[in-house]
Coordinates of all heavy atoms in Angstrom, one line a residue:
N173 N -31.4 -7.5 -28.3 CA -32.5 -7.1 -29.3 C -32.3 -7.9 -30.6 O -33.2 -8.4 -31.2 CB -32.5 -5.6 -29.5 CG -33.0 -4.9 -28.3 OD1 -33.7 -5.4 -27.5 ND2 -32.7 -3.6 -28.3
K174 N -31.1 -8.0 -31.0 CA -30.8 -8.7 -32.2 C -31.1 -10.2 -32.1 O -31.7 -10.8 -33.0 CB -29.3 -8.6 -32.7 CG -29.0 -7.1 -33.0 CD -29.8 -6.6 -34.2 CE -29.4 -5.2 -34.6 NZ -30.2 -4.6 -35.5
I175 N -30.7 -10.7 -30.9 CA -31.1 -12.2 -30.6 C -32.6 -12.4 -30.7 O -33.1 -13.3 -31.3 CB -30.5 -12.6 -29.3 CG1 -29.0 -12.7 -29.4 CG2 -31.0 -14.0 -28.9 CD1 -28.3 -12.9 -28.1
G176 N -33.3 -11.5 -30.1 CA -34.8 -11.5 -30.0 C -35.4 -11.4 -31.5 O -36.3 -12.1 -31.8
A177 N -34.8 -10.5 -32.3 CA -35.2 -10.4 -33.6 C -35.0 -11.6 -34.4 O -35.9 -12.1 -35.2 CB -34.5 -9.2 -34.3
L178 N -33.8 -12.2 -34.3 CA -33.5 -13.5 -35.0 C -34.4 -14.6 -34.5 O -34.9 -15.4 -35.4 CB -32.0 -13.8 -34.8 CG -31.0 -13.0 -35.5 CD1 -29.6 -13.3 -35.0 CD2 -31.1 -13.2 -37.0
E179 N -34.7 -14.6 -33.2 CA -35.6 -15.7 -32.8 C -37.0 -15.5 -33.3 O -37.7 -16.4 -33.7 CB -35.6 -15.7 -31.2 CG -34.3 -16.3 -30.7 CD -34.3 -16.2 -29.1 OE1 -35.0 -15.4 -28.5 OE2 -33.4 -16.9 -28.5
G180 N -37.4 -14.2 -33.4 CA -38.7 -13.9 -33.9 C -38.8 -14.3 -35.4 O -39.8 -14.8 -35.9
Y181 N -37.7 -14.0 -36.2 CA -37.6 -14.3 -37.6 C -37.7 -15.8 -37.7 O -38.5 -16.3 -38.6 CB -36.3 -13.8 -38.2 CG -36.1 -14.2 -39.6 CD1 -36.8 -13.7 -40.7 CD2 -35.2 -15.3 -39.9 CE1 -36.6 -14.1 -42.0 CE2 -34.9 -15.8 -41.2 CZ -35.7 -15.2 -42.2 OH -35.5 -15.6 -43.5
L182 N -37.0 -16.6 -36.9 CA -37.0 -18.0 -37.1 C -38.4 -18.5 -36.7 O -38.9 -19.5 -37.4 CB -36.0 -18.7 -36.1 CG -34.6 -18.6 -36.5 CD1 -33.7 -19.3 -35.5 CD2 -34.4 -19.4 -37.9
S183 N -39.1 -18.0 -35.8 CA -40.5 -18.5 -35.4 C -41.4 -18.2 -36.6 O -42.3 -19.0 -36.9 CB -40.9 -17.9 -34.1 OG -41.2 -16.5 -34.3
I184 N -41.3 -17.0 -37.2 CA -42.1 -16.7 -38.4 C -41.8 -17.7 -39.5 O -42.7 -18.1 -40.2 CB -41.9 -15.2 -38.8 CG1 -42.5 -14.3 -37.7 CG2 -42.6 -15.0 -40.2 CD1 -42.2 -12.9 -38.0
S185 N -40.5 -17.8 -39.8 CA -40.1 -18.7 -40.9 C -40.6 -20.1 -40.7 O -41.0 -20.8 -41.6 CB -38.7 -18.5 -41.1 OG -38.0 -19.7 -41.1
S186 N -40.5 -20.6 -39.5 CA -41.0 -21.9 -39.2 C -42.5 -22.1 -39.3 O -43.0 -23.1 -39.6 CB -40.5 -22.4 -37.8 OG -41.0 -21.7 -36.8
L187 N -43.2 -21.0 -39.0 CA -44.6 -21.0 -39.1 C -45.0 -21.0 -40.6 O -46.0 -21.7 -41.0 CB -45.3 -19.7 -38.5 CG -45.4 -19.7 -37.0 CD1 -45.9 -18.3 -36.6 CD2 -46.2 -20.8 -36.5
G188 N -44.2 -20.4 -41.4 CA -44.5 -20.4 -42.9 C -44.4 -21.8 -43.4 O -45.1 -22.2 -44.3
D189 N -43.4 -22.6 -42.9 CA -43.3 -23.9 -43.3 C -44.5 -24.9 -42.9 O -44.7 -25.8 -43.5 CB -42.0 -24.5 -42.8 CG -40.8 -23.8 -43.4 OD1 -40.9 -23.1 -44.5 OD2 -39.7 -23.9 -42.8
A190 N -45.1 -24.4 -41.8 CA -46.1 -25.3 -41.1 C -47.5 -24.8 -41.5 O -48.5 -25.3 -41.0 CB -45.9 -25.2 -39.7
V191 N -47.7 -23.9 -42.5 CA -49.1 -23.4 -42.8 C -49.7 -24.6 -43.6 O -49.2 -25.2 -44.6 CB -48.9 -22.2 -43.8 CG1 -50.3 -21.9 -44.3 CG2 -48.3 -21.0 -43.0
P192 N -50.9 -25.0 -43.1 CA -51.6 -26.1 -43.8 C -52.1 -25.7 -45.2 O -52.3 -24.6 -45.5 CB -52.9 -26.3 -42.9 CG -53.1 -25.0 -42.2 CD -51.7 -24.4 -42.1
A193 N -52.1 -26.8 -46.0 CA -52.6 -26.6 -47.4 C -54.1 -26.2 -47.4 O -54.8 -26.6 -46.5 CB -52.3 -27.9 -48.2
P194 N -54.6 -25.5 -48.4 CA -56.0 -25.1 -48.4 C -56.9 -26.4 -48.6 O -56.4 -27.4 -49.1 CB -56.1 -24.2 -49.7 CG -54.8 -24.3 -50.4 CD -53.8 -24.9 -49.5
A195 N -58.0 -26.3 -48.1 CA -59.0 -27.4 -48.2 C -59.4 -27.6 -49.6 O -59.4 -26.7 -50.4 CB -60.2 -27.1 -47.3
P196 N -59.7 -28.9 -50.0 CA -60.1 -29.1 -51.4 C -61.3 -28.4 -51.8 O -62.2 -28.2 -51.0 CB -60.4 -30.6 -51.4 CG -59.9 -31.2 -50.1 CD -59.7 -30.0 -49.2
G197 N -61.3 -27.9 -53.0 CA -62.5 -27.2 -53.5 C -62.3 -25.7 -53.3 O -63.1 -24.9 -53.9
L198 N -61.4 -25.2 -52.6 CA -61.3 -23.8 -52.4 C -60.2 -23.3 -53.4 O -59.2 -24.0 -53.7 CB -60.8 -23.4 -51.0 CG -61.9 -23.6 -49.9 CD1 -61.3 -23.3 -48.6 CD2 -63.1 -22.8 -50.2
P199 N -60.3 -22.1 -53.9 CA -59.3 -21.6 -54.8 C -58.0 -21.4 -54.1 O -57.9 -21.1 -53.0 CB -59.9 -20.2 -55.3 CG -60.9 -19.8 -54.2 CD -61.3 -21.1 -53.6
T200 N -56.9 -21.8 -54.8 CA -55.5 -21.7 -54.3 C -54.9 -20.4 -54.6 O -53.8 -20.1 -54.1 CB -54.7 -22.9 -54.8 OG1 -54.7 -22.8 -56.2 CG2 -55.2 -24.2 -54.3

Side-chain angles (χ1 to χ4, degrees):
N173 290 341
K174 296 299 180 185
I175 291 170
L178 287 170
E179 288 172 342
Y181 172 77
L182 281 179
S183 68
I184 290 173
S185 124
S186 66
L187 285 176
D189 295 341
V191 172
L198 291 178
T200 57

